[in-house]
Amino acid sequence: MRFAEPYKIKMVEPIRLIPRAEREARIREAGYNVFGLRSRDVFVDLLTDSGTGAMSEEQWAGLMRGDEAYAGSDSFYRLKETVESITGYSWVIPTHQGRGAEQCIMPQIVTRPGMYVLGNMHFDTTRAHIQLAGGRPVDLVIAEASDTETYHPFKGNIDLQRLRAFIVEHGPENIGAIIMTVTCNSAGGQPVSMANIRAASAIAREFGITFLFDTARYAENCYFIRQREAGYENAEPIAIAREMFSYGDGLMMSAKKDALVNIGGLLAFKHEELYRAAAGLVVPFEGFLTYGGLAGRDVEAMAVGLLEALEVDYLAARIGQVAYLGEQLHEAGIPIQLPVGGHAVFVDAAKFLPQIPADQFPGHALAVELYIEGGVRGVEVGSLMMGRDPETGLQLPSEFEFLRLAVPRRTYTNNHMDVVVDALKAVWERRHAVRGIRFVQEPKVLRHFTARFDWADVPAVR
Ligand code: P61
């Protein structure tokens, strides 16, 4: 028998495809920045899988149960018990979203200016918070990650040799922490193997370095371990999660992904010491320790969602849908990161548009063209998102030039995926005529959100 989603749809939200001439006008008005579009002008929105998924009836029921007490809310205790059951960490703090968790933990890790924070590949907000705390982010993902055509089951793995060599060269006292991002978003939603986590954790212990997880998509990572790593074929995702977390000292999480909520974040630690340190910043920046910037109802929905996201049938449907999109693009000859990641298909824009140099942002040009073609919104993950070196002001080199098509959880059908495939195929047919993009206005920090652009061959007005 064929497989189907383990849920049916109870409520629908209308979407519509506006005519092509309107799409051209809307993206021009938005300064050729997809973040500047109104969502009503987007047909299939694959900008992000963050906070854009559908909640379950149990989560909506949880909203009604939410305890809005300022301190000691019941919803907090339900969250704490759930997090403990999944991670084994008993020191739990909710935060308003992932970057809220990052801003409270980074200054505790980067205790002196110039300290390094190593990782497989830090996401851009993590990178920004390491830098804001005075630290230096270092990505040590395996080389296979940047070769989009070669299959590797765990392209999110950290390069253990480079990790050890870096620590030895720079001294463990200069390393604030090692952060494993699971799955590795920037490399294409690629998973990290249990063996790699175990080995990296052993290196951290050997040198006395704190070992943390960025767990935005940890449930998807657990599913890939079950599918691809020997010995885990029959393991429940929650058991895989427990083993994984046993190797770390704590986690920070954007709950907007694998906790299936529209807003929320999390900090959790094995030991009281890190908890106390982070707590000192949570109160002034996020709120009291039992609500962390969220309504009690949001905390409740998070507690429910954390467990739903670990169900095997849900994960099979979720990752299966992303694979369905990726396989069709691959069959059409469109270059994508292989294998397909957990939350998104990453189109290799450097290969799709070889005529466009990195500083004219091929991934971004492709995002603009895809919107014009089919009302589909994706986002660049490449040189544009990478930004400039804060010290030299020079464009940082990027390992990749991707257009990311991130699929919201439990939200679209495979018919929507087919529409995306058709639109991207149409751009593929006319790829030789696609032009590069240049800045009209460039903000200093996290510039891709608010920058304005024009086509590179349209001269700037003086
Ligand atoms: C995303 F264009 N991700 O992938 P917050 N860690 C990891 C993330 O993926 C992540 C955060 C921490 C987003 C949203 C996003 O420039 C951008 O809850 C692995 O968003 O604060 C977020 O979690 C931060 C999209 C964030 C962006 C920044 O789409």
Side-chain angles (χ1 to χ4, degrees):
M1 208 167 88
R2 284 191 282 177
F3 182 83
E5 287 75 9
Y7 50 81
K8 56 187 178 172
I9 296 164
K10 186 174 282 194
M11 194 194 289
V12 295
E13 180 182 343
I15 51 175
R16 110 193 145 94
L17 179 62
I18 59 172
R20 186 181 184 111
E22 278 184 42
R23 301 197 292 273
E24 283 170 353
R26 296 294 95 78
I27 191 74
R28 191 169 54 246
E29 289 155 14
Y32 294 101
N33 187 339
V34 290
F35 285 98
L37 290 169
R38 287 186 63 163
S39 70
R40 61 182 299 162
D41 298 324
V42 177
F43 186 44
V44 181
D45 201 350
L46 306 187
L47 182 71
T48 178
D49 62 321
S50 182
T52 51
M55 291 211 298
S56 66
E57 59 181 4
E58 271 310 310
Q59 288 180 293
W60 282 99
L63 294 185
M64 300 304 295
R65 278 197 307 270
D67 175 358
E68 303 302 338
Y70 189 94
S73 148
D74 258 1
S75 301
F76 167 74
Y77 285 101
R78 275 191 281 276
L79 175 71
K80 179 172 146 49
E81 278 163 29
T82 305
V83 172
E84 264 182 304
S85 75
I86 297 170
T87 64
Y89 302 161
S90 41
W91 299 95
V92 178
I93 313 175
T95 61
H96 84 279
Q97 61 183 87
R99 66 200 75 181
E102 288 166 356
Q103 74 167 342
C104 296
I105 191 65
M106 268 345 150
Q108 320 303 337
I109 294 170
V110 181
T111 48
R112 277 176 290 108
M115 282 177 89
Y116 298 97
V117 180
L118 315 183
N120 48 349
M121 206 163 196
H122 301 296
F123 191 61
D124 68 347
T125 53
T126 322
R127 170 176 286 279
H129 277 294
I130 293 169
Q131 287 167 341
L132 284 169
R136 289 186 265 194
V138 179
D139 295 335
L140 297 169
V141 74
I142 55 169
E144 286 88 339
S146 45
D147 178 1
T148 55
E149 280 167 38
T150 307
Y151 180 90
H152 185 292
F154 294 103
K155 277 189 174 175
N157 281 357
I158 198 164
D159 186 325
L160 296 164
Q161 277 179 349
R162 282 169 68 209
L163 175 65
R164 176 179 289 280
F166 194 97
I167 298 169
V168 170
E169 186 187 340
H170 297 272
E173 67 284 3
N174 294 315
I175 315 290
I178 298 170
I179 301 177
M180 287 292 244
T181 302
V182 290
T183 59
C184 186
N185 185 0
S186 312
Q190 298 293 317
V192 184
S193 72
M194 191 72 89
N196 190 254
I197 291 168
R198 202 181 295 124
S201 154
I203 293 176
R205 262 203 314 280
E206 179 186 332
F207 291 101
I209 298 169
T210 303
F211 190 78
L212 300 175
F213 293 99
D214 177 342
T215 60
R217 301 177 181 86
Y218 81 101
E220 292 168 7
N221 201 92
C222 290
Y223 186 76
F224 280 121
I225 288 176
R226 181 183 151 106
Q227 272 193 318
R228 297 181 187 169
E229 195 161 351
Y232 293 95
E233 302 83 356
N234 300 313
E236 288 298 321
I238 194 166
I240 297 173
R242 274 199 210 109
E243 181 185 343
M244 179 174 94
F245 289 118
S246 74
Y247 299 123
D249 299 303
L251 65 84
M252 45 192 193
M253 179 173 192
S254 169
K256 300 169 74 170
K257 287 85 169 174
D258 276 354
L260 301 174
V261 285
N262 301 119
I263 193 72
L266 202 58
L267 285 167
F269 304 103
K270 199 183 264 175
H271 305 294
E272 186 174 354
E273 198 188 337
L274 265 182
Y275 167 86
R276 289 280 161 226
L281 288 181
V282 172
V283 175
F285 286 125
E286 296 285 295
F288 186 64
L289 299 176
T290 59
Y291 76 87
L294 294 171
R297 64 182 82 98
D298 296 325
V299 176
E300 189 78 34
M302 202 199 303
V304 178
L306 277 167
L307 289 176
E308 287 182 359
L310 282 165
E311 288 168 14
V312 173
D313 285 354
Y314 155 74
L315 283 166
R318 156 71 178 155
I319 288 173
Q321 182 171 55
V322 179
Y324 173 81
L325 172 62
E327 278 156 18
Q328 289 193 75
L329 296 175
H330 182 53
E331 277 163 25
I334 294 172
I336 61 170
Q337 172 70 296
L338 292 171
V340 176
H343 67 296
V345 175
F346 284 65
V347 180
D348 188 335
K351 289 209 173 75
F352 195 117
L353 300 171
Q355 72 274 25
I356 302 182
D359 64 358
Q360 290 183 14
F361 311 122
H364 186 62
L366 193 51
V368 172
E369 289 290 0
L370 182 62
Y371 173 71
I372 292 171
E373 187 63 48
V376 176
R377 177 157 69 168
V379 74
E380 192 254 18
V381 174
S383 294
L384 175 59
M385 192 181 271
M386 187 57 106
R388 294 178 184 277
D389 185 318
E391 281 159 36
T392 64
L394 294 174
Q395 168 71 50
L396 287 165
S398 176
E399 293 262 351
F400 320 98
E401 302 298 339
F402 284 134
L403 165 67
R404 186 184 75 170
L405 304 171
V407 184
R409 294 168 181 78
R410 306 191 290 204
T411 303
Y412 289 113
T413 67
N414 282 359
N415 288 335
H416 294 110
M417 299 302 112
D418 293 345
V419 164
V420 176
V421 171
D422 289 352
L424 200 58
K425 273 188 189 165
V427 180
W428 177 246
E429 295 301 317
R430 58 180 178 79
R431 63 189 178 279
H432 304 294
V434 175
R435 303 168 286 169
I437 293 263
R438 66 171 172 80
F439 280 111
V440 172
Q441 261 173 32
E442 184 185 350
K444 282 212 157 58
V445 181
L446 292 174
R447 61 185 183 177
H448 58 288
F449 284 124
T450 50
R452 293 183 70 82
F453 306 91
D454 207 335
W455 298 110
D457 58 1
V458 176
V461 182
R462 301 214 173 248

